[in-house]
Amino acid sequence: MPASTIADIRTITCSPGRNFVTLKIVCEDGTYGVGDATLNGRELAVASYLADHVAPCLIGRDAHRIEDIWQYLYRGAYWRRGPVTMSAIAAVDMALWDIKAKRAGMPLYQLLGGAAREGCMVYGHANGETIDDTIEAARDYAAQGYRAIRLQAGVPGLAKTYGVSSDRYFYEPADADLPSEAAWATHKYLPSVAPLFAAARDALGWDVHLLHDVHHRLTPIEAARLGKDLEPFRPFWIEDPVPAENQQGFRLIRQHTTTPIAVGEVFNSIWDAKQLIEEQLIDYIRATVVHAGGITHLRRIAALADLYRIRTGCHGATDLSPVSMAAALHFGLSIPNFGVQEYMRHTEATDAVFPHAYRFADGMMHPGDAPGLGVDIDEALAETHPYRRAYLPVNRLEDGSMHDW
Ligand code: GCO
Ligand code: MG
């Protein structure tokens, strides 16, 4: 049997501060690769999909045949797309690229075409209950060398706001055993954002990129209003201004504002972004390696986006494990149209379970030069952090109607 034959597949679910699902594919000769399969709040569905429905089909196949295995899992399932399926395929894909690069004795970015830049610019999260708190956090990021900073502040009159945490560097939205409930009022939120950006430009100047996440909460015309309000402060982007099921909705935003638009952290295939890209309705595509079918599929999305001068800005919150972060950096370093990478650092417990080669310096991250993805999982340590049920919050308007969280 060839040395690269898949001999064993394990799904490891652990919670070193938050839940992660990790796939480990082991070849006949002991070479192995790891993949991230974490789907926040729905982790066990992907773990079961992999263990019960994918693993039996892969034993005995050649780990080198990445494209064939991708097509086999995508077309072969008959039921296409969806976050559970695409996260499972992504985990397999990451693990196979890890194996291929390890066997080649190269860091993965070399197989993807080599470094197209010196590093991947990342943005950090400056959060605070008040504008002053957020500006203080932003100054801290700027002092650490960040060139891009996301700004989120509490909204006066709302008890709890998306993106505002008690901890300075970690934001863990999946905060409860059953979904916690938050309240939302667009008329309170909308006027609160421009003053935040005005204060940030006063404090930080114009040589730093400023970003903001709307988290799918507005209608297209409300998003257009926000975009216009922020134009004087030249944001790098506003993110997820509206839910993107209706891709045409972005036409309306575009008609009104030149503020750049980023979208796609919940996308799971190229089809979610096709119209947005082809009609040039967005500026940054945020699909990630874990939720959008792995490196193989994300390269396809990036290649389509590149035709229209749309750049990447991949999701990188703490629910994307260090395995995804490593994969995102190899991908980002190698493609022509990299824009920025989100980076919310993990807890020490998470970093201990997933030893990794990637590093931060001067506002940029580099995947490192270890063969493969350059990230591993300490399975014995992972076992000491068992899975704990954790849900994302839900959001209601002040009259009790369900809204987008
Ligand atoms: C971001 C995201 C996250 C998500 C979280 C959901 O831009 O980082 O919006 O905060 O809410 O990753 O699992
Ligand atoms: Mg977001």
Side-chain angles (χ1 to χ4, degrees):
M1 205 170 279
S4 59
T5 304
I6 297 175
D8 187 27
I9 300 187
R10 294 201 283 282
T11 305
I12 304 144
T13 305
C14 64
S15 190
R18 69 149 11 269
N19 290 319
F20 294 111
V21 178
T22 309
L23 186 74
K24 185 162 177 175
I25 299 184
V26 188
C27 297
E28 201 61 46
D29 68 350
T31 325
Y32 64 88
V34 290
D36 182 19
T38 309
L39 183 61
N40 209 359
R42 297 292 186 271
E43 295 87 358
L44 300 184
V46 189
S48 159
Y49 191 107
L50 283 165
D52 298 326
H53 303 295
V54 170
C57 307
L58 296 188
I59 301 290
R61 286 179 192 279
D62 183 358
H64 275 313
R65 299 188 60 178
I66 298 177
E67 183 68 37
D68 181 65
I69 289 177
W70 197 97
Q71 299 292 337
Y72 178 85
L73 293 175
Y74 183 81
R75 297 178 184 218
Y78 186 64
W79 312 106
R80 295 180 183 215
R81 305 158 61 188
V84 174
T85 298
M86 297 306 279
S87 300
I89 294 178
V92 172
D93 189 75
M94 274 183 245
L96 295 181
W97 277 109
D98 191 20
I99 290 169
K100 192 182 279 294
K102 277 180 181 167
R103 299 184 81 85
M106 289 181 187
L108 175 61
Y109 71 84
Q110 295 290 13
L111 293 191
L112 300 178
R117 56 192 51 75
E118 300 309 316
C120 299
M121 180 173 75
V122 293
Y123 69 89
H125 287 220
N127 313 314
E129 282 301 337
T130 64
I131 289 180
D132 285 350
D133 293 348
T134 303
I135 299 302
E136 195 197 312
R139 280 187 201 279
D140 181 22
Y141 277 102
Q144 290 174 49
Y146 281 80
R147 305 166 189 202
I149 303 170
R150 188 183 99 159
L151 304 171
Q152 307 292 140
V155 175
L158 291 181
K160 199 168 177 285
T161 310
Y162 162 78
V164 178
S165 66
S166 47
D167 190 285
R168 202 175 182 99
Y169 296 120
F170 309 109
Y171 175 61
E172 283 303 351
D175 61 357
D177 183 48
L178 287 173
S180 56
E181 303 225 349
W184 180 251
T186 297
H187 71 284
K188 291 179 176 158
Y189 162 75
L190 270 184
S192 75
V193 194
L196 172 63
F197 271 72
R201 283 295 176 214
D202 276 351
L204 304 168
W206 295 84
D207 195 28
V208 58
H209 300 300
L210 300 178
L211 297 74
H212 180 70
D213 189 353
V214 187
H215 224 247
H216 308 109
R217 290 167 182 213
L218 301 179
T219 65
I221 201 68
E222 290 164 351
R225 173 80 266 160
L226 178 65
K228 282 176 86 146
D229 288 353
L230 295 185
E231 274 172 25
F233 312 109
R234 299 280 196 274
F236 185 85
W237 77 33
I238 55 172
E239 171 187 336
D240 292 341
V242 296
E245 285 98 326
N246 178 17
Q247 298 187 27
Q248 291 177 24
F250 286 77
R251 285 192 194 138
L252 205 145
I253 306 175
R254 270 296 203 233
Q255 280 161 18
H256 294 284
T257 181
T258 55
T259 290
I261 308 290
V263 76
E265 66 182 44
V266 302
F267 289 2
N268 52 71
S269 86
I270 198 166
W271 302 98
D272 293 325
K274 183 172 180 287
Q275 184 182 4
L276 294 174
I277 292 172
E278 288 175 346
E279 290 189 28
Q280 303 183 72
L281 301 177
I282 57 171
D283 302 280
Y284 295 91
I285 178 73
R286 279 180 54 70
T288 65
V289 71
V290 52
H291 300 132
I295 292 158
T296 297
H297 196 63
L298 202 57
R299 288 175 92 199
R300 210 154 274 151
I301 296 175
L304 177 65
D306 188 41
L307 298 182
Y308 301 93
R309 314 309 299 264
I310 293 167
R311 291 185 287 165
T312 62
C314 297
H315 188 202
T318 35
D319 47 302
L320 286 81
S321 90
V323 180
S324 275
M325 180 52 67
L329 294 172
H330 287 280
F331 165 81
L333 198 66
S334 66
I335 57 167
N337 54 329
F338 171 81
V340 69
Q341 169 66 48
E342 180 179 15
Y343 173 49
M344 214 198 298
R345 64 185 79 176
H346 289 108
T347 60
E348 279 175 20
T350 297
D351 284 340
V353 169
F354 297 96
H356 51 260
Y358 59 74
R359 55 177 191 273
F360 173 90
D362 295 331
M364 303 209 284
M365 288 184 75
H366 194 283
D369 283 307
L373 286 172
V375 59
D376 207 344
I377 180 164
D378 180 335
E379 289 184 73
L381 192 57
E383 241 180 70
T384 66
H385 298 285
Y387 167 79
R388 291 173 50 193
R389 192 173 68 189
Y391 281 97
L392 290 169
V394 297
N395 212 12
R396 291 185 192 276
L397 301 182
E398 289 174 310
D399 70 355
S401 317
M402 281 298 303
H403 193 61
D404 303 293
W405 173 67

